[in-house]
Amino acid sequence: MPARERRVSGLPGLPRTLPEVVGARGALSDAVLLDGAQVDAVVVAVAPPREAEDGLQPRAGTVDATVRYGVDLAELAERAGGRSFRGASGEVVRVDLPRAHAGSGVRLPWTGLPPRILLLGVGAGTASDLRRAGAALARASRGLERVVSAATADAGPDAVRAFVEGYLLAAYDQPRQSGSSPSAAEAAAEQLVLLAPEDRPDDTAPIEAAHRAAAATWLVRDLANIPSDVKDPAWFADRAVELADALGLDTTVRGPAQLGAEGFGALLAVGAGSARPPRLVTVTYDPTDHGVLPRGVDVRHVVVVGKGITYDTGGLSIKPREAMVPMKTDMAGAAVALAVVLGAARARSDRRVTAVLPLAENHVGAASYRPGDVLRTWSGRTVEVANTDAEGRLVLADGIAYAVAELAPDVLVDVATLTGAASLGLGRGHGALFATDDAVADALESAALTTGERVWRMPLVEDYTDALRSDVADLRHVPVESPGGGSITAALFLREFVGDVPWAHLDVAGPARATADRHEVVAGATGFGARLLLEALDRL
């Protein structure tokens, strides 16, 4: 396992310690691995019936466990799970084995063995199936200390990584502001041991990769779930600097005076109505500074700009009460950008990565910007305001233009909880992907297939550009009469500030939040996009 990082002083528990996952050589037939005094449960994999076959099908570890325990596990699964348990990915049955009465002299076949068996459905055994299986295992093993699993014993590295990612992602617990910690019964097993045969390369590399990806997602979830009475732009900026300093990364923070002096007019306008003023944070990882590449080597530079609205009332175009409740997560894009640059540093990527975080609170106050105002953005272009609740594209306009002109990116990606239209069109399971460059789009789509964070490429419809025209400014950020396709017109607006840099825009308004647990996704902030962009780095 990777060395555990020191805690950051500004916020106890950030970054938090994830459950431990380790690899081990051996099989469930090895006596030393199944000491019932040290292992709380054994996990074996089962699959659905094949065509023309009856009953659940054994998978890795099932036969060894059957022999060791002296019971027919397939029959046990059918008895415990009933007709509903078919071995599909994400299904799990927990069997607590009975103990012999003390003093009876009876020795049961499983005496001295772990007292629980977790029968885990793995479906067809694909990476996606195993990710769901890992998530199901995390929830089924809550309250246990040490669990030994043979479910991935016949899986390749990508499938092992998916299984561990699913386990770690579903093990997430939302921080409590009371200061109390989750009880042991609420937490996933403290240690998961993955068994692998002696003749296969060990699982260290896929386990570590999964840990880095899950840690990035946990960070995004934690930051997004913090309530906005704590999390204002200054607080977020401080956390970003502390996390970056812990890894030796370069940071810059611009406060309101510097933002005004340098012309970040859109960011300042969005934050003007709040008593807690905006910030612009940049965090850079350079592989030549960390000994990954020699100095003088041409390094590809990937810049990720994340929308950082720490709370969104809608401003003077105020939201309904119900729509405000989840708005503490409206900075999820900035959290993803921060997690990506930190994750690149931990993975010692050979890409230079910079996160640009425009942070503001869109509030209502005497200084609030108004519909009808004309803002001068950092690029010098003017924008007519039509709806103060479309503030995300304004702060991104300043962040993107600054990144293009000052940071010389080879690839630019922005990520934002930007439009309700994206979730209306694609639902909660997909991010909307827009791109000016097919290679960049292909890289993100390929990474999405690997991580399971699904995206759908959307068109930049040229016919809609007329909707951005203004009679009083260079651009109008929301159409007078919408042609429909609200996520498309938002993307077209952002494109105006990109120039010739290969660019992708990821609208995660749908998948960034969830109302219930489902597989590796948890209720609340989901952290969508962190694993996707980390996976895409080497492909960009």
Side-chain angles (χ1 to χ4, degrees):
M1 287 292 294
R4 297 193 177 186
E5 298 169 6
R6 69 177 180 84
R7 291 177 177 239
V8 175
S9 60
L11 181 66
L14 182 64
R16 289 199 285 160
T17 301
L18 277 63
E20 187 179 18
V21 181
V22 298
R25 300 286 193 174
L28 293 179
S29 56
D30 298 337
V32 69
L33 292 173
L34 293 190
D35 182 347
Q38 298 182 19
V39 178
D40 291 316
V42 167
V43 181
V44 296
V46 293
R50 293 180 180 141
E51 190 175 345
E53 292 180 341
D54 291 328
L56 298 166
Q57 299 301 301
R59 288 295 181 264
T62 308
V63 174
D64 286 339
T66 296
V67 172
R68 191 76 193 280
Y69 277 85
V71 294
D72 185 331
L73 293 184
E75 182 186 13
L76 189 64
E78 291 175 356
R79 286 176 179 270
R83 294 181 179 274
S84 62
F85 183 63
R86 304 297 295 162
S89 63
E91 293 182 341
V92 61
V93 171
R94 173 170 163 167
V95 179
D96 292 282
L97 297 169
R99 293 294 191 188
H101 188 274
S104 67
V106 175
R107 182 174 177 82
L108 299 172
W110 50 84
T111 298
L113 296 176
R116 300 170 192 85
I117 297 175
L118 298 175
L119 299 159
L120 185 64
V122 295
T126 64
S128 177
D129 285 339
L130 286 173
R131 187 179 296 109
R132 292 183 173 188
L137 175 59
R139 295 188 174 99
S141 64
R142 292 187 184 279
L144 305 182
E145 292 186 8
R146 192 164 188 250
V147 173
V148 174
S149 170
T152 57
D154 57 0
D158 291 343
V160 172
R161 175 178 171 177
F163 182 84
V164 177
E165 279 187 7
Y167 179 83
L168 293 174
L169 292 170
Y172 176 83
D173 54 89
Q174 193 169 148
R176 287 173 169 79
Q177 297 308 303
S178 66
S180 64
S181 300
S183 67
E186 294 174 309
E190 293 182 10
Q191 185 186 67
L192 173 63
V193 180
L194 300 184
L195 299 183
E198 298 286 351
D199 59 353
R200 193 184 80 181
D202 67 46
D203 292 328
T204 300
I207 290 174
E208 290 183 350
H211 188 279
R212 286 192 298 270
T217 303
W218 274 48
L219 175 62
V220 177
R221 291 172 176 176
D222 278 350
L223 289 170
N225 283 325
I226 293 291
S228 295
D229 59 332
V230 174
K231 178 181 59 191
D232 64 8
W235 181 93
F236 194 119
D238 289 344
R239 301 294 78 74
V241 170
E242 290 182 349
L243 290 163
D245 283 350
L247 294 172
L249 307 185
D250 294 329
T251 59
T252 301
V253 179
R254 290 173 171 83
Q258 193 171 359
L259 292 172
E262 296 185 20
F264 288 89
L267 178 57
L268 283 168
V270 170
S274 174
R276 306 191 289 182
R279 300 287 191 275
L280 181 75
V281 181
T282 60
V283 181
T284 297
Y285 159 74
D286 191 328
T288 63
D289 292 340
H290 293 260
V292 177
L293 295 174
R295 294 193 179 276
V297 171
D298 184 22
V299 180
R300 297 280 289 173
H301 190 193
V302 179
V303 175
V304 185
V305 183
K307 173 187 170 184
I309 302 299
T310 56
Y311 193 74
D312 183 17
T313 66
L316 293 180
S317 306
I318 198 162
K319 293 178 181 290
R321 178 193 64 80
E322 296 84 357
M324 282 193 217
V325 174
M327 285 300 105
K328 67 181 181 181
T329 67
D330 208 23
M331 36 54 66
V336 168
L338 176 62
V340 169
V341 70
L342 299 175
R346 294 188 182 104
R348 295 177 61 80
S349 171
D350 61 3
R351 298 290 191 266
R352 187 174 185 231
V353 182
T354 298
V356 178
L357 317 176
L359 307 170
E361 186 173 76
N362 188 27
H363 222 296
V364 178
S368 291
Y369 75 124
R370 297 157 289 259
D373 285 358
V374 174
L375 311 179
R376 184 171 297 276
T377 65
W378 186 91
S379 69
R381 303 188 76 182
T382 56
V383 176
E384 179 186 3
V385 175
N387 180 352
T388 64
D389 195 23
E391 82 299 327
R393 67 197 72 181
L394 292 174
V395 302
L396 287 175
D398 269 357
I400 288 171
Y402 164 78
V404 169
E406 298 294 324
L407 301 179
D410 294 296
V411 177
L412 177 71
V413 179
D414 76 78
V415 57
T417 51
L418 202 64
T419 67
S423 58
L424 285 174
L426 297 176
R428 297 290 181 182
H430 286 74
L433 171 64
F434 299 84
T436 56
D437 185 277
D438 289 341
V440 172
D442 290 345
L444 291 170
E445 289 177 315
S446 174
L449 291 175
T450 299
T451 62
E453 291 189 312
R454 296 172 293 178
V455 299
W456 191 267
R457 189 174 182 184
M458 301 284 284
L460 291 161
V461 182
E462 298 299 335
D463 289 349
Y464 294 172
T465 55
D466 286 347
L468 304 178
R469 291 182 179 175
S470 169
D471 294 331
V472 297
D474 296 323
L475 294 167
R476 182 183 173 94
H477 86 311
V478 174
V480 178
E481 295 182 5
S482 175
S487 65
I488 299 175
T489 54
L492 288 169
F493 175 81
L494 295 178
R495 190 183 65 173
E496 294 289 324
F497 300 90
V498 170
D500 297 328
V501 176
W503 164 73
H505 161 57
L506 194 59
D507 189 337
V508 298
R513 309 176 183 100
T515 56
D517 294 345
R518 179 174 170 79
H519 304 307
E520 70 270 22
V521 174
V522 297
T526 66
F528 182 97
R531 292 185 299 120
L532 167 63
L533 292 182
L534 280 174
E535 180 66 26
L537 277 182
D538 291 340
R539 312 177 193 210
L540 290 171

